[in-house]
Amino acid sequence: MKKISTLILTLSAPLLTIAEPAKESGGMLSGETQNQIGYWLIGIMLFLFLIVVLVLVRTIKVMARVIFKYQGTSEEEIIREEQAAKAPKKAAKPKNEILLKLMSLKPMSEEKSLLIEHDYDGIQELNNPTPAWFMWLFYGTITFGVCYILIYHVFNLAPLQYQEYRNEMAQADIAKKEYLSKAANRVDENTVKLVNDPAVIAAGGAIFKTTCAPCHGDHAQGNVGPNLTDDYWLHGGKINDIFKTIKYGVAAKGMPTWEKQLSPKQISDVANFIKSIHGTNPANPKAPQGEKEAADEPQKVASK
């Protein structure tokens, strides 16, 4: 019994870890939590099956002991032993009461009340009831089946496997977008790359119209600020230089810093937009300012 108790405690201890995911999901069990519960239910059923096997093995041992006990014994000796067994004895407290209750058995002293009337060649049969643990398991499987049908097929309180797969794929897409957004915001003036992705340029153009157009013009032809479409630059025309100018600004020239208003990804998009409009020759351009620089080649990125 000590070994069985230790095994039960060992099996039940990890079940405490199942409660945490259920709390985090607001009461709705996630797919991983449901899988863990299923694994532990299977483990418990296997454990009960092991108990059944052990009981059967013990029964076979008892039967074998009885058979071998009477081998080579004369009929008179057997009769004497039976008479001695039938003689009234002082009632002893039954051992293993918990096991007897679990198996719905009665102690040896009370087995006469279970005898069935028929008798075949001196062999009598006991009318032992079905073990209590077996009935608990039987009714438990019925309850489990009814609850499963109601939860998954009637009230739709939990997703089926296909829906669970779709939910997990949706969660994976969200996690992927979050990862990519965080990775994009790790860019700085040293790691920014020049790309020709239409999505990046479109995003940068939208930001340029709302934040940069008042000083540089709607088409970057120059207004208060310099023309951004020609070959002349006051603070460098490379993608790294443009990113740095937008990020930190130029206080002496009235260029504000956008580090706190725009994310690194947005600054990178604006810098790439400015590089994409080089040589567009808008109407009424402002006179060149700064030094002439050669254009750097963009890095090709497949559009999504």
Side-chain angles (χ1 to χ4, degrees):
M1 290 302 295
K2 291 183 178 180
K3 294 182 178 179
I4 294 176
S5 300
T6 304
L7 182 57
I8 292 174
L9 291 174
T10 304
L11 289 172
S12 61
L15 290 176
L16 296 175
T17 61
I18 297 178
E20 295 300 326
K23 293 180 180 178
E24 295 176 359
S25 60
M28 177 64 70
L29 296 178
S30 63
E32 183 178 356
T33 304
Q34 294 177 15
N35 290 338
Q36 290 180 358
I37 294 175
Y39 295 150
W40 281 106
L41 288 176
I42 293 173
I44 292 173
M45 294 178 69
L46 292 176
F47 176 70
L48 294 176
F49 177 76
L50 178 62
I51 293 178
V52 175
V53 173
L54 294 176
V55 172
L56 291 176
V57 171
R58 183 175 180 180
T59 304
I60 294 172
K61 287 183 178 180
V62 173
M63 293 177 63
R65 192 182 304 116
V66 172
I67 293 173
F68 289 118
K69 176 180 178 181
Y70 290 105
Q71 282 186 351
T73 305
S74 63
E75 184 176 354
E76 294 179 355
E77 293 177 349
I78 294 175
I79 293 174
R80 284 198 299 269
E81 290 183 3
E82 290 179 353
Q83 291 177 350
K86 292 179 180 180
K89 296 181 180 179
K90 184 178 180 180
K93 187 177 181 179
K95 298 180 180 179
N96 301 327
E97 292 185 1
I98 298 178
L99 181 61
L100 293 176
K101 290 182 179 179
L102 181 63
M103 300 299 298
S104 297
L105 298 176
K106 291 188 176 181
M108 297 292 292
S109 59
E110 300 179 14
E111 282 192 346
K112 289 184 179 181
S113 61
L114 299 176
L115 286 174
I116 300 177
E117 293 182 358
H118 61 253
D119 187 336
Y120 296 98
D121 297 331
I123 300 175
Q124 292 180 303
E125 184 179 359
L126 294 177
N127 186 19
N128 285 316
T130 304
W133 65 265
F134 184 86
M135 297 305 298
W136 296 341
L137 181 62
F138 175 69
Y139 292 123
T141 55
I142 295 176
T143 304
F144 176 81
V146 172
C147 293
Y148 182 90
I149 292 175
L150 293 177
I151 292 173
Y152 287 92
H153 296 280
V154 178
F155 300 110
N156 297 322
L157 298 178
L160 295 174
Q161 289 184 347
Y162 179 68
Q163 184 62 40
E164 183 180 343
Y165 167 76
R166 295 178 62 183
N167 293 342
E168 291 181 355
M169 291 300 296
Q171 293 175 1
D173 290 338
I174 295 173
K176 180 180 178 181
K177 292 179 180 179
E178 291 179 355
Y179 171 78
L180 292 177
S181 64
K182 292 179 180 179
N185 281 323
R186 292 173 184 162
V187 67
D188 59 16
E189 59 271 19
N190 298 316
T191 59
V192 63
K193 300 295 182 182
L194 180 62
V195 298
N196 59 0
D197 187 349
V200 173
I201 295 173
I207 299 172
F208 182 90
K209 289 180 180 180
T210 58
T211 58
C212 307
C215 292
H216 294 279
D218 294 337
H219 302 285
Q221 73 275 14
N223 190 358
V224 178
N227 181 5
L228 300 178
T229 62
D230 57 19
D231 297 331
Y232 294 85
W233 299 90
L234 291 171
H235 308 288
K238 301 295 184 182
I239 187 68
N240 308 78
D241 299 327
I242 298 174
F243 185 99
K244 183 178 180 181
T245 303
I246 298 172
K247 180 178 180 181
Y248 299 110
V250 183
K253 300 291 184 178
M255 171 70 178
T257 174
W258 294 98
E259 182 179 11
K260 296 182 179 179
Q261 288 82 4
L262 300 177
S263 67
K265 172 67 167 54
Q266 291 175 318
I267 296 176
S268 174
D269 293 345
V270 174
N272 276 282
F273 170 76
I274 293 173
K275 294 298 296 182
S276 70
I277 60 177
H278 173 263
T280 54
N281 298 319
N284 301 318
K286 190 175 182 178
Q289 294 175 278
E291 298 179 359
K292 186 176 182 179
E293 291 188 12
D296 44 354
E297 294 295 330
Q299 179 180 355
K300 295 183 178 180
V301 177
S303 60
K304 297 180 181 177

